[in-house]
Amino acid sequence: EEPLKKKFLLKISGRNYTEFEPERMRFHKEDFSLEILNTSRDDRRLYEYSVSKGPDEEVWQIQLEVFEPVADPSIRILHRESSNGSCSLALRCSSERGDEVSYSWDSRDNGTGGICSGSGGVLNLSYSLRGAAFGCVCTASNPVSSRRAAFHSAQCGSEQ
C-alpha cells in the first residue's frame, strides 16, 4: 500500500523558516500569512497548517477555491414577437469566461414595475409598444467578480 505524501510549502523552526517554492509562494513573517503568486486553478486544493509544541500538534485544514473572473456579458435576443401593439421577447445573457457564473436581471431605473426582474440566463419580457422605453440590466457574477450588460426596449428589440 502506498503511503500518504505531503508536499511542504514552508517550514518554520524557531525564528528560521524555509520556503520550498519561493518562486510561487511568499511568506509574510509579520502576520504569518502565506501568499500564492500567480494563482491558477491548479492551486485549488486542501491545504494544511500545523504547529508542533512538544508532543502535541495542532492542525488546521483550509480548502482553497480558485475562480476565474467573469468576462463582460452579452445579451442576445432568442425570440421576438410583435403583434397588436405589444412585444414579447426572450433575452439570453451569457459570459464567455468565468467559473460558477450566475445571472440576474434588474431594471435600469425603478419605473418599469419590475418587468426586468429575474434570475437565470434567460429573461422573458412582454410589454406594450405604446409604453415608455425602458432598459434591463443583466448582471453576470461569481464569488470574485461581477459584470453588467444593458438591453434597451427600443422598437421591440429590432435596433439592438
Side-chain angles (χ1 to χ4, degrees):
E1 187 176 320
E2 289 282 321
L4 293 175
K5 291 184 180 182
K6 289 184 182 180
K7 182 177 181 181
F8 285 90
L9 303 175
L10 175 74
K11 272 200 171 186
I12 302 171
S13 179
R15 294 187 182 273
N16 301 321
Y17 65 92
T18 305
E19 292 176 280
F20 291 100
E21 292 187 46
E23 68 284 348
R24 292 218 344 101
M25 311 284 172
R26 184 177 302 138
F27 174 60
H28 301 279
K29 53 187 165 188
E30 314 81 48
D31 61 2
F32 269 76
S33 64
L34 187 64
E35 178 183 4
I36 300 173
L37 306 173
N38 300 317
T39 309
S40 72
R41 285 188 177 103
D42 294 338
D43 295 316
R44 181 187 302 178
R45 70 182 91 156
L46 187 66
Y47 290 85
E48 191 173 274
Y49 171 77
S50 64
V51 177
S52 297
K53 295 178 183 176
D56 297 326
E57 182 179 41
E58 295 176 350
V59 178
W60 292 268
Q61 291 188 329
I62 302 159
Q63 178 64 46
L64 179 66
E65 297 294 335
V66 179
F67 297 93
E68 179 182 28
V70 296
D72 289 331
S74 61
I75 298 174
R76 222 177 75 229
I77 298 174
L78 296 177
H79 175 76
R80 174 186 5 222
E81 191 174 311
S82 173
S83 65
N84 297 331
S86 68
C87 178
S88 294
L89 291 174
L91 305 177
R92 174 181 288 293
C93 181
S94 60
S95 176
E96 289 185 21
R97 286 187 322 280
D99 294 315
E100 296 186 27
V101 180
S102 63
Y103 299 94
S104 62
W105 296 84
D106 215 336
S107 305
R108 190 157 206 190
D109 54 15
N110 293 330
T112 61
I115 191 170
C116 297
S117 295
S119 61
V122 176
L123 177 69
N124 293 304
L125 293 172
S126 189
Y127 58 95
S128 169
L129 290 170
R130 289 181 283 288
F134 61 90
C136 294
V137 175
C138 165
T139 303
S141 58
N142 69 6
V144 297
S145 63
S146 180
R147 299 270 190 221
R148 297 162 51 108
F151 172 84
H152 303 281
S153 65
Q155 295 183 353
C156 197
S158 61
E159 294 180 2
Q160 300 301 313

